[in-house]
Amino acid sequence: MVGVVACSSVSSIKALWETRIKRGREEEEQRRTTSRGGTTGRLSVRVWEDRAVLARLKEKLQMEDGRLVLRIEQEEWKILPGCLIQFIQAQEWQIHRTGLLKIPHFISSFQNLLILDLSRNAVAEVPKQIGTLTRLRELLLSYNRIQFVPEELSGCESLERLELAMNRNLNELPDQLRNLTRLQHLDLSMNDFSLLPDCVVAMTGLQWLDMGGNRLQLLPDDIHRMEKLHTLWLQRNELEKLPVNISRMASLDTLVLSSNRLRDIPSLMEDMTNLRFVNFRDNPLTMDVTLPPRKKVAEDDEDDREMFGLEFMQMYIQEARKRSYAVLNMHCVNQIDEDSADK
Protein backbone atom coordinates (compact mmCIF):
# COMPACT_ATOMS: atom_id res chain seq x y z
CA MET A 1 0.00 0.00 0.00
CA VAL A 2 2.89 2.36 0.80
CA GLY A 3 4.41 1.68 -2.61
CA VAL A 4 1.15 2.59 -4.35
CA VAL A 5 0.96 5.93 -2.51
CA ALA A 6 4.58 6.78 -3.33
CA CYS A 7 4.04 5.96 -6.99
CA SER A 8 0.93 8.12 -7.06
CA SER A 9 2.81 11.09 -5.51
CA VAL A 10 5.59 10.85 -8.11
CA SER A 11 3.03 10.71 -10.92
CA SER A 12 1.25 13.79 -9.55
CA ILE A 13 4.48 15.78 -9.31
CA LYS A 14 5.48 14.71 -12.83
CA ALA A 15 2.09 15.73 -14.22
CA LEU A 16 2.34 19.09 -12.45
CA TRP A 17 5.75 19.82 -13.97
CA GLU A 18 4.65 18.75 -17.42
CA THR A 19 1.66 21.09 -17.12
CA ARG A 20 3.92 23.98 -16.08
CA ILE A 21 6.40 23.30 -18.88
CA LYS A 22 3.57 23.09 -21.42
CA ARG A 23 2.05 26.32 -20.15
CA GLY A 24 5.46 28.02 -20.25
CA ARG A 25 5.98 26.94 -23.84
CA GLU A 26 2.56 28.19 -24.82
CA GLU A 27 3.20 31.55 -23.19
CA GLU A 28 6.59 31.86 -24.88
CA GLU A 29 5.06 30.96 -28.25
CA GLN A 30 2.35 33.54 -27.70
CA ARG A 31 4.96 36.19 -26.91
CA ARG A 32 6.87 35.31 -30.08
CA THR A 33 3.71 35.48 -32.13
CA THR A 34 2.84 38.83 -30.63
CA SER A 35 6.36 40.11 -31.25
CA ARG A 36 6.30 38.95 -34.88
CA GLY A 37 2.97 40.59 -35.33
CA GLY A 38 4.31 43.89 -33.92
CA THR A 39 7.34 43.83 -36.19
CA THR A 40 5.15 43.00 -39.15
CA GLY A 41 2.93 45.86 -38.15
CA ARG A 42 5.83 48.28 -37.98
CA LEU A 43 7.14 47.06 -41.32
CA SER A 44 3.72 47.49 -42.83
CA VAL A 45 3.53 51.07 -41.57
CA ARG A 46 6.98 51.81 -42.97
CA VAL A 47 6.05 50.33 -46.35
CA TRP A 48 2.94 52.47 -46.51
CA GLU A 49 4.92 55.55 -45.51
CA ASP A 50 7.47 54.87 -48.27
CA ARG A 51 4.68 54.40 -50.76
CA ALA A 52 3.12 57.70 -49.70
CA VAL A 53 6.47 59.51 -50.07
CA LEU A 54 7.02 57.92 -53.46
CA ALA A 55 3.60 59.07 -54.56
CA ARG A 56 4.41 62.64 -53.47
CA LEU A 57 7.73 62.59 -55.28
CA LYS A 58 6.18 61.16 -58.41
CA GLU A 59 3.87 64.17 -58.51
CA LYS A 60 6.98 66.39 -58.57
CA LEU A 61 8.32 64.81 -61.75
CA GLN A 62 7.51 66.52 -65.02
CA MET A 63 8.80 66.77 -68.55
CA GLU A 64 10.29 70.17 -69.41
CA ASP A 65 12.05 70.90 -72.69
CA GLY A 66 12.42 67.19 -73.31
CA ARG A 67 14.03 66.53 -69.91
CA LEU A 68 12.61 64.73 -66.88
CA VAL A 69 12.71 67.31 -64.07
CA LEU A 70 12.24 66.84 -60.33
CA ARG A 71 10.79 70.15 -59.12
CA ILE A 72 10.12 70.83 -55.41
CA GLU A 73 9.56 74.37 -54.23
CA GLN A 74 8.48 75.91 -50.93
CA GLU A 75 7.75 72.59 -49.22
CA GLU A 76 9.61 71.15 -46.25
CA TRP A 77 12.03 68.44 -47.37
CA LYS A 78 14.99 68.71 -44.98
CA ILE A 79 16.14 65.20 -45.91
CA LEU A 80 15.64 63.58 -49.29
CA PRO A 81 14.41 59.97 -48.80
CA GLY A 82 16.30 56.97 -50.08
CA CYS A 83 13.31 55.89 -52.15
CA LEU A 84 14.13 58.80 -54.48
CA ILE A 85 16.68 56.49 -56.06
CA GLN A 86 13.79 54.87 -57.94
CA PHE A 87 13.79 57.96 -60.18
CA ILE A 88 17.42 57.82 -61.33
CA GLN A 89 16.30 58.61 -64.87
CA ALA A 90 15.74 62.26 -63.79
CA GLN A 91 18.00 64.66 -65.69
CA GLU A 92 17.37 67.80 -63.66
CA TRP A 93 16.66 68.68 -60.03
CA GLN A 94 15.03 72.00 -59.15
CA ILE A 95 14.69 72.05 -55.35
CA HIS A 96 14.26 75.50 -53.78
CA ARG A 97 13.22 76.89 -50.37
CA THR A 98 12.66 73.47 -48.84
CA GLY A 99 15.06 73.73 -45.89
CA LEU A 100 17.17 70.93 -47.40
CA LEU A 101 20.10 70.25 -45.05
CA LYS A 102 22.37 68.07 -47.17
CA ILE A 103 22.90 66.52 -50.56
CA PRO A 104 22.37 62.75 -50.16
CA HIS A 105 25.31 60.45 -50.81
CA PHE A 106 23.17 58.42 -53.19
CA ILE A 107 23.40 61.39 -55.58
CA SER A 108 26.08 59.31 -57.33
CA SER A 109 23.33 57.00 -58.60
CA PHE A 110 21.89 59.79 -60.77
CA GLN A 111 24.32 59.45 -63.65
CA ASN A 112 21.84 61.07 -66.09
CA LEU A 113 21.77 64.30 -64.11
CA LEU A 114 22.56 67.38 -66.21
CA ILE A 115 21.38 70.19 -63.92
CA LEU A 116 21.44 70.19 -60.11
CA ASP A 117 19.83 73.35 -58.75
CA LEU A 118 19.55 73.40 -54.96
CA SER A 119 19.76 77.16 -54.42
CA ARG A 120 18.06 78.85 -51.45
CA ASN A 121 18.18 75.96 -49.00
CA ALA A 122 20.28 75.14 -45.92
CA VAL A 123 22.86 72.77 -47.46
CA ALA A 124 26.04 72.83 -45.36
CA GLU A 125 28.36 70.60 -47.40
CA VAL A 126 28.92 69.12 -50.82
CA PRO A 127 29.49 65.34 -50.65
CA LYS A 128 32.51 63.80 -52.34
CA GLN A 129 30.16 61.61 -54.35
CA ILE A 130 29.26 64.65 -56.44
CA GLY A 131 32.45 64.06 -58.39
CA THR A 132 31.03 60.93 -60.03
CA LEU A 133 28.49 62.97 -62.01
CA THR A 134 30.58 63.28 -65.15
CA ARG A 135 27.64 64.48 -67.27
CA LEU A 136 26.60 67.29 -64.92
CA ARG A 137 26.60 70.67 -66.69
CA GLU A 138 25.18 73.01 -64.05
CA LEU A 139 25.61 72.98 -60.27
CA LEU A 140 23.72 75.81 -58.57
CA LEU A 141 24.18 76.08 -54.80
CA SER A 142 23.77 79.80 -54.11
CA TYR A 143 22.15 80.98 -50.87
CA ASN A 144 23.07 77.97 -48.75
CA ARG A 145 25.50 77.40 -45.86
CA ILE A 146 28.42 75.80 -47.67
CA GLN A 147 31.84 76.43 -46.11
CA PHE A 148 33.90 73.85 -47.97
CA VAL A 149 34.05 72.57 -51.53
CA PRO A 150 35.60 69.08 -51.98
CA GLU A 151 38.36 68.51 -54.50
CA GLU A 152 36.27 65.66 -55.93
CA LEU A 153 34.10 68.28 -57.62
CA SER A 154 36.84 68.48 -60.25
CA GLY A 155 35.57 65.10 -61.46
CA CYS A 156 32.49 66.83 -62.93
CA GLU A 157 34.34 67.20 -66.21
CA SER A 158 31.31 68.44 -68.16
CA LEU A 159 30.52 71.29 -65.73
CA GLU A 160 29.84 74.57 -67.54
CA ARG A 161 28.11 76.61 -64.83
CA LEU A 162 28.91 76.74 -61.10
CA GLU A 163 27.12 79.10 -58.71
CA LEU A 164 28.14 79.37 -55.05
CA ALA A 165 26.96 82.91 -54.28
CA MET A 166 25.89 84.00 -50.79
CA ASN A 167 27.30 81.13 -48.75
CA ARG A 168 28.82 83.68 -46.37
CA ASN A 169 31.77 81.73 -44.89
CA LEU A 170 33.13 80.26 -48.12
CA ASN A 171 36.66 81.66 -48.60
CA GLU A 172 38.68 79.17 -50.64
CA LEU A 173 38.46 76.62 -53.43
CA PRO A 174 40.53 73.45 -53.95
CA ASP A 175 43.27 73.85 -56.53
CA GLN A 176 41.99 70.77 -58.38
CA LEU A 177 39.10 72.83 -59.74
CA ARG A 178 41.50 74.20 -62.35
CA ASN A 179 40.75 70.94 -64.18
CA LEU A 180 37.20 72.12 -64.93
CA THR A 181 38.24 73.11 -68.43
CA ARG A 182 34.67 73.45 -69.71
CA LEU A 183 33.54 75.83 -66.97
CA GLN A 184 32.31 79.09 -68.49
CA HIS A 185 30.21 80.72 -65.76
CA LEU A 186 31.34 81.06 -62.11
CA ASP A 187 29.48 82.99 -59.40
CA LEU A 188 31.36 83.43 -56.10
CA SER A 189 29.72 86.69 -55.06
CA MET A 190 28.82 87.62 -51.47
CA ASN A 191 31.22 85.23 -49.78
CA ASP A 192 34.41 85.75 -47.76
CA PHE A 193 37.22 85.57 -50.34
CA SER A 194 40.18 87.88 -49.73
CA LEU A 195 42.07 86.66 -52.80
CA LEU A 196 41.10 85.53 -56.25
CA PRO A 197 41.80 81.76 -56.07
CA ASP A 198 44.67 80.52 -58.26
CA CYS A 199 42.48 77.76 -59.65
CA VAL A 200 40.04 80.38 -60.97
CA VAL A 201 42.80 82.28 -62.80
CA ALA A 202 43.86 78.95 -64.33
CA MET A 203 40.36 78.20 -65.70
CA THR A 204 41.17 78.86 -69.33
CA GLY A 205 37.58 78.41 -70.54
CA LEU A 206 36.01 80.84 -68.05
CA GLN A 207 33.96 83.60 -69.69
CA TRP A 208 31.86 85.09 -66.86
CA LEU A 209 33.02 85.68 -63.25
CA ASP A 210 31.28 87.40 -60.34
CA MET A 211 33.43 88.07 -57.24
CA GLY A 212 31.36 91.01 -55.99
CA GLY A 213 30.64 91.43 -52.30
CA ASN A 214 33.79 89.71 -51.01
CA ARG A 215 36.93 91.09 -49.29
CA LEU A 216 39.30 91.22 -52.27
CA GLN A 217 42.19 93.60 -51.61
CA LEU A 218 44.17 92.98 -54.77
CA LEU A 219 44.02 91.14 -58.07
CA PRO A 220 46.75 88.77 -59.31
CA ASP A 221 49.33 90.22 -61.70
CA ASP A 222 48.73 87.36 -64.11
CA ILE A 223 44.99 88.01 -64.38
CA HIS A 224 45.46 88.30 -68.15
CA ARG A 225 45.76 84.50 -68.25
CA MET A 226 41.97 84.45 -68.25
CA GLU A 227 41.98 84.94 -72.00
CA LYS A 228 38.31 84.18 -72.68
CA LEU A 229 36.82 86.17 -69.79
CA HIS A 230 34.39 88.77 -71.15
CA THR A 231 32.51 89.76 -67.95
CA LEU A 232 34.10 90.52 -64.58
CA TRP A 233 32.09 91.73 -61.58
CA LEU A 234 34.21 93.07 -58.70
CA GLN A 235 31.81 95.50 -57.01
CA ARG A 236 31.75 95.98 -53.22
CA ASN A 237 35.27 94.74 -52.45
CA GLU A 238 38.36 96.39 -50.93
CA LEU A 239 40.49 96.89 -54.05
CA GLU A 240 42.92 99.81 -53.81
CA LYS A 241 44.58 99.42 -57.20
CA LEU A 242 44.35 97.43 -60.41
CA PRO A 243 47.19 95.35 -61.91
CA VAL A 244 48.67 96.76 -65.10
CA ASN A 245 48.08 93.47 -66.88
CA ILE A 246 44.32 93.96 -66.69
CA SER A 247 44.81 95.95 -69.89
CA ARG A 248 45.95 92.72 -71.59
CA MET A 249 42.59 90.98 -71.10
CA ALA A 250 41.71 90.96 -74.78
CA SER A 251 38.20 89.51 -74.44
CA LEU A 252 37.02 91.65 -71.50
CA ASP A 253 34.09 93.88 -72.46
CA THR A 254 32.30 94.32 -69.08
CA LEU A 255 34.14 95.41 -65.93
CA VAL A 256 32.28 96.48 -62.78
CA LEU A 257 34.43 98.09 -60.05
CA SER A 258 31.92 100.18 -58.11
CA SER A 259 32.22 100.57 -54.32
CA ASN A 260 35.90 99.73 -53.89
CA ARG A 261 38.89 101.77 -52.63
CA LEU A 262 40.51 102.62 -55.95
CA ARG A 263 42.69 105.73 -56.03
CA ASP A 264 43.60 105.71 -59.72
CA ILE A 265 42.86 104.11 -63.07
CA PRO A 266 45.81 102.51 -64.95
CA SER A 267 46.60 104.55 -68.05
CA LEU A 268 47.07 101.41 -70.15
CA MET A 269 43.34 100.71 -69.81
CA GLU A 270 42.85 103.43 -72.40
CA ASP A 271 43.98 100.89 -75.01
CA MET A 272 41.26 98.39 -74.09
CA THR A 273 39.24 99.01 -77.23
CA ASN A 274 37.17 95.88 -76.57
CA LEU A 275 35.83 97.35 -73.30
CA ARG A 276 32.21 98.47 -73.69
CA PHE A 277 30.88 98.72 -70.14
CA VAL A 278 32.90 99.84 -67.12
CA ASN A 279 31.85 101.29 -63.77
CA PHE A 280 34.08 103.13 -61.27
CA ARG A 281 31.28 104.63 -59.21
CA ASP A 282 31.78 105.14 -55.45
CA ASN A 283 35.59 104.93 -55.42
CA PRO A 284 37.87 107.51 -53.70
CA LEU A 285 39.68 108.41 -56.94
CA THR A 286 42.41 111.03 -56.65
CA MET A 287 40.93 113.40 -59.23
CA ASP A 288 37.43 114.72 -59.66
CA VAL A 289 36.42 114.42 -63.28
CA THR A 290 33.06 115.58 -64.58
CA LEU A 291 31.78 114.63 -67.99
CA PRO A 292 30.77 117.57 -70.21
CA PRO A 293 27.01 117.94 -70.73
CA ARG A 294 25.48 116.73 -73.96
CA LYS A 295 22.90 118.66 -75.88
CA LYS A 296 19.51 117.04 -76.41
CA VAL A 297 20.64 113.71 -75.02
CA ALA A 298 18.01 111.10 -74.36
CA GLU A 299 17.47 110.17 -70.72
CA ASP A 300 18.46 106.56 -71.33
CA ASP A 301 21.72 107.65 -72.95
CA GLU A 302 22.53 109.83 -69.97
CA ASP A 303 21.90 106.89 -67.66
CA ASP A 304 24.23 104.78 -69.76
CA ARG A 305 27.00 107.37 -69.42
CA GLU A 306 26.61 107.34 -65.66
CA MET A 307 26.16 103.60 -65.34
CA PHE A 308 28.89 102.29 -67.60
CA GLY A 309 31.45 105.09 -67.31
CA LEU A 310 33.51 104.34 -70.41
CA GLU A 311 33.74 108.03 -71.24
CA PHE A 312 34.59 108.78 -67.61
CA MET A 313 37.46 106.28 -67.67
CA GLN A 314 38.93 107.73 -70.85
CA MET A 315 38.59 111.32 -69.63
CA TYR A 316 40.12 110.42 -66.26
CA ILE A 317 43.15 108.84 -67.91
CA GLN A 318 43.58 111.83 -70.25
CA GLU A 319 43.30 114.28 -67.37
CA ALA A 320 45.78 112.27 -65.29
CA ARG A 321 48.21 112.32 -68.22
CA LYS A 322 47.86 116.09 -68.61
CA ARG A 323 48.56 116.64 -64.93
CA SER A 324 51.58 114.34 -65.08
CA TYR A 325 52.96 116.29 -68.03
CA ALA A 326 52.31 119.56 -66.21
CA VAL A 327 54.14 118.34 -63.12
CA LEU A 328 57.01 117.07 -65.27
CA ASN A 329 57.27 120.39 -67.14
CA MET A 330 57.23 122.30 -63.89
CA HIS A 331 60.03 120.10 -62.58
CA CYS A 332 62.06 120.71 -65.74
CA VAL A 333 61.54 124.49 -65.49
CA ASN A 334 62.61 124.47 -61.86
CA GLN A 335 65.67 122.43 -62.72
CA ILE A 336 66.66 124.89 -65.47
CA ASP A 337 66.24 127.81 -63.10
CA GLU A 338 68.41 126.10 -60.51
CA ASP A 339 71.11 125.41 -63.11
CA SER A 340 71.00 129.05 -64.26
CA ALA A 341 71.30 130.29 -60.71
CA ASP A 342 74.35 128.10 -60.12
CA LYS A 343 76.08 129.61 -63.12
Side-chain angles (χ1 to χ4, degrees), residues 19 45 47 50 67 74 79 90 111 144 215 219 222 239 249 272 284 295 297 309 313:
T19 301
V45 170
V47 168
D50 289 346
R67 288 198 298 265
Q74 298 184 345
I79 302 293
Q111 290 298 313
N144 277 281
R215 297 187 299 108
L219 298 176
D222 59 349
L239 296 171
M249 300 181 72
M272 297 178 70
K295 295 181 179 179
V297 65
M313 183 190 77

Side-chain angles (χ1 to χ4, degrees), residues 255-266:
L255 177 60
V256 182
L257 291 159
S258 56
S259 299
N260 274 278
R261 301 177 182 176
L262 295 172
R263 303 289 296 171
D264 282 301
I265 301 175

Side-chain angles (χ1 to χ4, degrees), residues 162-271:
L162 176 60
E163 295 188 357
L164 293 165
M166 197 63 177
N167 278 282
R168 298 288 187 180
N169 295 320
L170 185 64
N171 57 23
E172 62 180 354
L173 295 177
D175 193 61
Q176 289 81 357
L177 294 194
R178 67 175 62 231
N179 296 324
L180 296 175
T181 55
R182 298 185 184 181
L183 194 67
Q184 301 176 12
H185 179 111
L186 178 60
D187 190 349
L188 297 173
S189 61
M190 295 178 286
N191 285 300
D192 198 38
F193 289 92
S194 59
L195 295 172
L196 186 62
D198 291 338
C199 64
V200 174
V201 179
M203 292 177 180
T204 55
L206 201 61
Q207 300 179 20
W208 191 100
L209 174 62
D210 191 346
M211 291 287 295
N214 280 276
R215 297 187 299 108
L216 298 180
Q217 297 179 0
L218 54 84
L219 298 176
D221 291 333
D222 59 349
I223 194 171
H224 60 286
R225 291 170 56 196
M226 306 170 77
E227 297 178 352
K228 296 183 179 180
L229 196 70
H230 61 67
T231 301
L232 179 57
W233 292 79
L234 295 169
Q235 73 285 359
R236 298 193 305 281
N237 276 285
E238 302 173 9
L239 296 171
E240 296 184 0
K241 66 176 183 178
L242 298 175
V244 173
N245 283 333
I246 198 170
S247 61
R248 297 173 59 186
M249 300 181 72
S251 300
L252 194 64
D253 64 21
T254 300
L255 177 60
V256 182
L257 291 159
S258 56
S259 299
N260 274 278
R261 301 177 182 176
L262 295 172
R263 303 289 296 171
D264 282 301
I265 301 175
S267 59
L268 289 176
M269 290 184 67
E270 188 178 25
D271 299 327

Side-chain angles (χ1 to χ4, degrees), residues 21-37:
I21 292 172
K22 182 179 180 181
R23 185 182 301 166
R25 288 176 177 173
E26 289 175 351
E27 290 177 354
E28 184 178 352
E29 184 64 27
Q30 186 175 0
R31 282 196 301 270
R32 289 177 179 175
T33 302
T34 303
S35 177
R36 284 198 299 270

